Amino acid sequence: MNDNTKQQKVVTRFAPSPTGFLHIGGIRTALYAWAYAKKNNGTFILRIEDTDKAREVEGSIDHIIKSLKWIGIDWNEGPDIGGPNAPYKQSERLESYQKYAKILIEKGFAYADPYTEAEVESFRNKAIEEKRPFLYREHRPENPPVWDGTQSLRFKVTNIKSYEWEDLVRGHLKAGAEALDDFILIKSDGYPTYNFAHIIDDLEMGVTHVMRGDEFISSTPKFLSLYEALGIKTPFFATLPPIMGTDGKKKLGKRDGAKDFLEYEKDGYLPSAMMNFLAFIGWNPGIEKEILTPEEFVNLFEINQIQISGGGYNEDKLDWINKEHIKLLPEDELEKYIFEWLPKELQIKKIIPIIVERISKFGDIKGMVESGELNFFYKEPEYKKEQLVYKSTPIETIIANLKSALEVFTMTEEEDFNKENIKRFLMELADNLENRGQILHPVRFALSGLEKSPDPFILADILGKTETINRLNKAISTLSS
Ligand code: GLU
């Protein structure tokens, strides 16, 4: 599809409702809308849709802002920074909705709903009994009262027809007249519905591209009939694919991983990796490269590369991407991240490569610290004699091998005592043995006391010449006792 939707300045928005924490689905919507605006030097707006007071959860707005900031999404206009179309919270925009409500009343497109909730409910139940869809418009009152704000205000859909429209992702869509109804514009509590408010806000804020989830497709004919009644142009619609659960079958739910987005920060993922991961769930730029920096992603992003069907959530993939992003970090930043997870005594530059090799996210360091597997860096290891022995090698051979390692190390100048040299010396000795393990194992064990640890030359390098020699001596005397 040729993208000829950018004739005017691109304006996109993310419009979350503050009804709890954001999870990756919401963030991915924000990400695409943000990337599209950024790519086209457009405007990205954060708007809070807080008109459902009953569902509002305290602290959600802060949480939304924190989540977006963490992943690196910024906005040109929003509740925290203001902008030319302020305010950016729907609850503070009631005057706008009143203004357009009056226009619709005057044009004969809105009326006060005279029924009680129980009456509407009984209409609905009757329709269910008769196995036909409930349509409020079939009960439209002939002489509705004058709207005084205590009743709901309903849209009066006059053009009952089927609608066809273009979606930038899904292509040509259509729906029959049964999708149209007299929906509520303003509730009896004075707040507008989403159906009404978002259209007014998008209009007033000059939004050109509406990017949102597929749950809004079925309501689109209703929106289109309202755009028509208001005599306004529709923005471009781009329906984003859902994020599927790990099984790829149903939408990702809280049960299978849709957690509070900030949990990823707590788990020690990198925001750039998170962005990379989310970008590819539902977007395919048709390239081989899988690791993208935020800049690369924005530069590549096009709406016509968004997929129709949902991509699956795969935490192993996230871990892999995260590990790759860790490798891209400049040394000083990497150190900062890693040291944050380490106790003082383990904040040693030389152990950074060992840690990097063994983690996929910084949170994994916690487990390494807790298990004590890193303690040998500052504490002499403890082990039993037998643990130093490689398979069925006689103890004397092990002692002799440790002694030859000791001899080589002792002869090595302090400044030459590095990973490469140690490796070379040890390998020369090892290659003369029946089996390399006969020297590599006891040296490794003498230095770490662990069944699983980095290679002996890495350990020796980190511990330094003096400590390495001490530990080999200790192993020799343990074996000789
Ligand atoms: N407030 C809506 C929601 O949170 C946003 C829908 C839209 O982007 O228009 O689902």
Side-chain angles (χ1 to χ4, degrees):
M1 205 190 299
N2 218 337
D3 194 353
N4 55 5
T5 65
K6 303 177 198 162
Q7 260 81 355
Q8 47 190 331
K9 184 179 164 151
V10 167
V11 180
T12 63
R13 53 33 169 210
F14 176 51
S17 304
T19 51
F21 61 72
L22 274 182
H23 61 75
I24 59 169
I27 298 285
R28 205 262 330 249
T29 301
L31 181 65
Y32 287 3
W34 168 81
Y36 192 64
K38 216 167 178 64
K39 160 107 189 239
N40 294 290
N41 296 315
T43 299
F44 175 60
I45 300 173
L46 173 63
R47 180 174 79 219
I48 303 296
E49 303 208 320
D50 59 342
T51 57
D52 190 346
K53 289 293 157 191
R55 288 182 58 223
E56 197 161 324
V57 174
E58 218 193 295
S60 305
I61 300 181
D62 275 351
H63 189 279
I64 289 166
I65 290 180
K66 258 198 208 138
S67 303
L68 294 171
K69 283 193 172 162
W70 176 64
I71 194 173
I73 293 177
D74 54 356
W75 44 98
N76 307 94
E77 302 175 26
D80 54 334
I81 52 170
N85 300 296
Y88 293 93
K89 279 189 202 164
Q90 288 185 327
S91 59
E92 295 169 9
R93 301 178 62 80
L94 301 185
E95 273 174 32
S96 284
Y97 313 128
Q98 288 287 335
K99 184 177 118 191
Y100 283 92
K102 294 216 169 90
I103 293 175
L104 287 168
I105 295 172
E106 275 161 26
K107 286 182 162 183
F109 286 129
Y111 61 91
D113 178 344
Y115 301 117
T116 61
E117 258 176 56
E119 282 168 321
V120 177
E121 204 42 42
S122 72
F123 299 153
R124 192 187 312 273
N125 289 338
K126 191 152 182 283
I128 294 172
E129 261 170 44
E130 293 167 7
K131 295 197 166 51
R132 50 186 182 83
F134 166 65
L135 285 171
Y136 184 94
R137 60 178 153 88
E138 291 174 355
H139 306 272
R140 190 185 285 164
E142 261 169 47
N143 291 305
V146 174
W147 185 56
D148 62 9
T150 61
Q151 320 96 328
S152 309
L153 184 71
R154 285 203 181 249
F155 176 56
K156 183 175 174 183
V157 55
T158 46
N159 212 354
I160 314 276
K161 60 170 192 184
S162 39
Y163 274 93
E164 304 202 4
W165 71 99
E166 293 302 321
D167 186 288
L168 297 178
V169 175
R170 304 228 174 177
H172 194 74
L173 297 177
K174 53 182 173 215
E178 68 285 353
L180 299 178
D181 203 6
D182 288 3
F183 59 86
I184 295 178
L185 300 168
I186 296 189
K187 296 172 281 180
S188 56
D189 66 1
Y191 286 101
T193 55
Y194 165 75
N195 292 347
F196 182 42
H198 86 277
I199 289 180
I200 303 306
D201 292 339
D202 287 344
L203 171 71
E204 293 196 329
M205 295 177 183
V207 171
T208 58
H209 293 69
V210 167
M211 297 160 94
R212 62 184 162 204
D214 61 358
E215 63 272 33
F216 296 100
I217 290 189
S218 59
S219 305
T220 304
K222 289 196 184 89
F223 305 154
L224 294 173
S225 60
L226 181 55
Y227 283 110
E228 240 173 51
L230 287 165
I232 56 176
K233 220 175 114 221
T234 58
F236 294 105
F237 297 121
T239 296
L240 309 183
I243 298 182
M244 309 303 279
T246 341
D247 65 358
K249 288 197 188 105
K250 51 180 194 329
K251 278 196 195 185
L252 182 72
K254 290 196 175 149
R255 270 194 204 165
D256 43 358
K259 53 188 179 191
D260 174 346
F261 188 64
L262 287 176
E263 289 293 318
Y264 293 97
E265 181 187 19
K266 290 195 200 119
D267 288 345
Y269 285 100
L270 282 172
S272 62
M274 243 13 251
M275 188 182 285
N276 189 160
F277 170 66
L278 287 183
F280 278 110
I281 308 184
W283 169 70
N284 182 356
I287 53 168
E288 292 281 306
K289 199 166 147 122
E290 288 187 276
I291 299 303
L292 299 178
T293 63
E295 295 71 33
E296 287 170 327
F297 161 58
V298 167
N299 287 334
L300 282 168
F301 187 75
E302 290 297 347
I303 291 183
N304 58 16
Q305 300 160 335
I306 297 174
Q307 307 292 290
I308 295 179
S309 53
Y313 174 81
N314 178 343
E315 207 152 291
D316 292 338
K317 180 87 188 219
L318 168 61
D319 285 356
W320 175 76
I321 292 177
N322 198 66
K323 200 170 172 74
E324 294 302 307
H325 277 259
I326 289 178
K327 292 182 198 157
L328 295 178
L329 284 177
E331 227 171 281
D332 52 336
E333 252 182 80
L334 178 65
E335 176 178 312
K336 219 176 97 223
Y337 271 114
I338 289 189
F339 283 8
E340 257 172 50
W341 291 85
L342 289 173
K344 268 261 147 351
E345 58 277 17
L346 279 173
Q347 295 178 5
I348 312 162
K349 258 187 197 315
K350 277 189 176 177
I351 75 169
I352 291 175
I354 293 181
I355 288 181
V356 168
E357 192 186 306
R358 296 164 71 187
I359 60 168
S360 54
K361 54 186 182 293
F362 296 119
D364 296 342
I365 298 173
K366 204 167 157 233
M368 293 171 82
V369 171
E370 279 169 6
S371 72
E373 63 185 290
L374 294 170
N375 290 357
F376 64 89
F377 287 115
Y378 62 93
K379 220 165 104 189
E380 267 203 15
E382 280 168 30
Y383 45 79
K384 291 201 190 77
K385 197 170 174 168
E386 313 77 67
Q387 291 178 288
L388 293 162
V389 179
Y390 179 74
K391 292 188 177 161
S392 54
T393 316
I395 286 200
E396 296 67 39
T397 315
I398 299 285
I399 296 176
N401 293 346
L402 283 174
K403 280 187 175 162
S404 35
L406 185 62
E407 195 184 336
V408 179
F409 291 165
T410 312
M411 272 162 28
T412 310
E413 295 292 336
E414 198 90 50
E415 69 252 38
D416 296 329
F417 198 82
N418 58 41
K419 207 163 53 194
E420 291 72 31
N421 286 338
I422 301 165
K423 182 170 182 176
R424 195 155 47 81
F425 301 149
L426 266 186
M427 283 319 223
E428 266 167 34
L429 295 172
D431 285 339
N432 286 326
L433 300 171
E434 227 170 84
N435 189 311
R436 285 174 170 182
Q438 291 174 324
I439 184 162
L440 298 182
H441 173 84
V443 172
R444 199 178 61 70
F445 220 93
L447 299 183
S448 71
L450 295 171
E451 291 298 343
K452 263 191 170 168
S453 81
D455 290 333
F457 15 93
I458 298 175
L459 298 173
D461 179 39
I462 294 169
L463 293 169
K465 180 176 168 178
T466 315
E467 185 58 19
T468 300
I469 288 176
N470 282 347
R471 292 190 186 187
L472 289 187
N473 272 324
K474 188 186 153 206
I476 293 167
S477 59
T478 306
L479 283 169
S480 318
S481 65

